[in-house]
Amino acid sequence: MIPVTKPFLPPKTEYEKYLDGIWQREWLTNMGPLASRLEMELKSYLYLNHLLFVTNGTVALQMAIKALDLKGDIITTPFSFVATTSSIVWEGCTPVFVDIDKESLNIDAAKIEAAITNKTSAILATHVYGNPCDVETIEKIATKHHLKVIYDGAHAFGVQVNGKSVFEYGDISTGSLHATKLYHSIEGGMVITKNPELLNKIAKIRNFGISGYNTFSELGINGKNSEFHAAMGLANLPYINEIMRKRKELMQYYDEMLFQKGNLKAVKPQWHTSSENNGAYYPVVFESEALLLKIKNHLERNEIGTRRYFYPSLAAALPYLKPQSLPVTDDIAKRVLCLPLYYDLSEEEVMMISRLILRIQNN
Ligand SMILES: *Cc1c(COP(=O)(O)O)cnc(C)c1O
């Protein structure tokens, strides 16, 4: 069985070394030494000044919205994981969907201004598959209309744009360190901001709003993460460059087999011209949903997993929102499929999967 993804695991002994320390200190959670060390190492690896290690990428988004005190409407993308939209609703705001760009599959920055009203407080956009949004245009629009910007960077670990970390953009960027992501701490998330006061506020929100001994400064939540999760993050971090290298190599094999040697009737998302793919996903947009289904079903019969990521459109699928159609998103969501990509996948397997896909298509 070839799954669509598989979490990377470090050598068990390297994780165990961290466990020995936990047993010695008997400090299991609540901003412990490993959690602090992971924050420092992530800041250094990602070239960031301010970063918090939190429970997960969803709570990171919720705390970001809370910290910016957003109200009313938040402009967002319907082409993302459900947590992007649910966080907005969870925080009592209303998602206003703007259609995506058909090449980048990110929110179409050219369509944002038309959606702004006096109820709009922010833009929450996802760097889909790690491909940076049009951050410059979004920044201009936000400045002009006095809107806050949050980026859901759950896919964007290690991504640079214009020579700096993509997490530097927006008032706040969030990340996910979930086991299915490129780099993980089993469960985990990150909150990043350039604003130290805002970071301080989120640090308090993360810890129930506690500001001192028996004092509270905010409405808070439990957004902390444990020493065991931090340990996995620390044990995985030395491998991240190798993980990305390997995944990018596998992506090149797919490219070669499917598009250079093969005639796959599909396209790949167009990448931001000042950024490089981090190897997080291998999505292809087929020329029709019929072709996607034919290939997906045949692969399944051959025990090869794929994922319709993202399908369906969030604007159409959520029981707590009135269904809405957005032409580009509806069309792309029907035709996009992510192929298997993970560290342990071999070149031979990529070739076998690619040959099978082409054979199914050309039959
Ligand atoms: C995974 C993901 C999240 C949620 O992150 P968790 O750590 O699983 O809570 C949010 N947004 C996007 C785009 C994701 O892919």
Side-chain angles (χ1 to χ4, degrees):
M1 169 76 200
I2 297 178
V4 66
T5 191
K6 206 194 242 192
F8 177 85
L9 281 167
K12 203 170 155 210
T13 49
E14 293 176 22
Y15 184 67
E16 281 166 355
K17 273 195 311 214
Y18 290 106
L19 297 186
D20 292 341
I22 297 176
W23 257 260
Q24 277 161 22
R25 289 184 295 271
E26 301 181 340
W27 187 348
L28 307 186
T29 186
N30 284 7
M31 288 78 72
L34 295 181
S36 302
R37 187 168 148 200
L38 181 61
E39 286 180 345
M40 301 231 303
E41 291 199 8
L42 286 173
K43 279 190 267 190
S44 149
Y45 180 79
L46 298 166
Y47 299 100
L48 296 166
N49 291 322
H50 304 290
L51 177 151
L52 293 171
F53 176 48
V54 304
T55 321
N56 55 56
T58 307
V59 165
L61 283 168
Q62 290 169 4
M63 294 197 296
I65 296 168
K66 187 71 83 192
L68 293 169
D69 201 19
L70 301 181
K71 300 276 183 288
D73 295 351
I74 299 180
I75 289 175
T76 191
T77 173
F79 192 68
S80 185
F81 182 61
V82 64
T84 316
T85 304
S86 68
S87 303
I88 295 173
V89 178
W90 198 267
E91 291 303 319
C93 298
T94 306
V96 172
F97 293 108
V98 164
D99 210 352
I100 58 170
D101 173 71
K102 70 177 195 306
E103 315 288 348
S104 72
L105 312 193
N106 284 323
I107 193 167
D108 189 343
K111 291 187 183 144
I112 291 177
E113 273 198 297
I116 296 172
T117 68
N118 57 9
K119 286 193 285 182
T120 311
S121 61
I123 301 164
L124 168 43
T126 302
H127 303 300
V128 176
Y129 310 126
N131 184 17
C133 292
D134 184 351
V135 287
E136 292 90 356
T137 307
I138 292 174
E139 193 165 294
K140 277 189 205 125
I141 296 168
T143 307
K144 182 171 159 199
H145 296 274
H146 309 288
L147 302 177
K148 300 291 184 192
V149 178
I150 300 172
Y151 285 113
D152 181 343
H155 299 172
F157 190 87
V159 171
Q160 301 245 325
V161 60
N162 305 317
K164 57 181 180 179
S165 168
V166 73
F167 296 131
E168 286 207 31
Y169 287 89
D171 293 276
I172 300 178
S173 282
T174 64
S176 167
L177 307 183
H178 184 259
T180 54
K181 308 297 201 246
L182 182 64
Y183 164 76
H184 77 90
S185 63
I186 312 172
E187 290 274 359
M190 304 186 292
V191 178
I192 298 111
T193 173
K194 281 178 297 199
N195 178 338
E197 279 153 44
L198 192 54
L199 189 94
N200 211 328
K201 183 174 178 184
I202 302 164
K204 289 189 190 120
I205 292 175
R206 174 177 69 169
N207 191 31
F208 310 101
I210 294 172
S211 56
Y213 193 65
N214 294 337
T215 59
F216 304 89
S217 60
E218 324 279 337
L219 172 61
I221 194 166
N222 184 353
K224 297 176 276 98
N225 210 333
S226 83
E227 291 291 277
F228 294 81
H229 293 86
M232 184 59 84
L234 287 166
N236 277 340
L237 200 54
Y239 293 95
I240 186 61
N241 287 341
E242 173 57 16
I243 293 168
M244 288 204 254
R245 188 201 60 75
K246 173 77 188 288
R247 293 173 74 127
K248 286 186 210 177
E249 193 178 277
L250 294 172
M251 287 173 44
Q252 278 169 7
Y253 291 132
Y254 271 128
D255 283 352
E256 199 182 306
M257 292 295 295
L258 295 173
F259 294 102
Q260 287 152 27
K261 294 185 183 155
N263 64 334
L264 191 70
K265 293 175 182 151
V267 292
K268 300 205 309 164
Q270 204 174 76
W271 218 258
H272 193 295
T273 49
S274 309
S275 181
E276 208 185 293
N277 195 315
N278 63 352
Y281 299 93
Y282 195 86
V284 292
V285 182
F286 286 101
E287 70 174 21
S288 70
E289 186 180 26
L291 181 59
L292 177 149
L293 291 172
K294 182 174 156 190
I295 289 173
K296 182 178 170 43
N297 294 338
H298 267 85
L299 289 176
E300 250 158 48
R301 256 172 256 145
N302 287 277
E303 305 221 304
I304 297 166
T306 56
R307 189 168 167 204
R308 299 185 78 177
Y309 199 58
F310 304 105
Y311 173 86
S313 157
L314 293 172
L318 303 176
Y320 42 87
L321 296 175
K322 195 167 132 251
Q324 185 189 347
S325 63
L326 290 149
V328 181
T329 304
D330 292 349
D331 173 48
I332 296 286
K334 278 190 203 136
R335 297 189 288 121
V336 70
L337 191 70
C338 286
L339 302 183
L341 185 65
Y342 49 89
Y343 180 76
D344 287 340
L345 192 67
S346 69
E347 184 185 342
E348 292 69 33
E349 285 170 320
V350 168
M351 300 219 260
M352 184 272 287
I353 296 165
S354 302
R355 282 201 198 98
L356 193 56
I357 290 174
L358 291 168
R359 202 177 330 133
I360 300 160
Q361 171 192 273
N362 298 328
N363 241 334

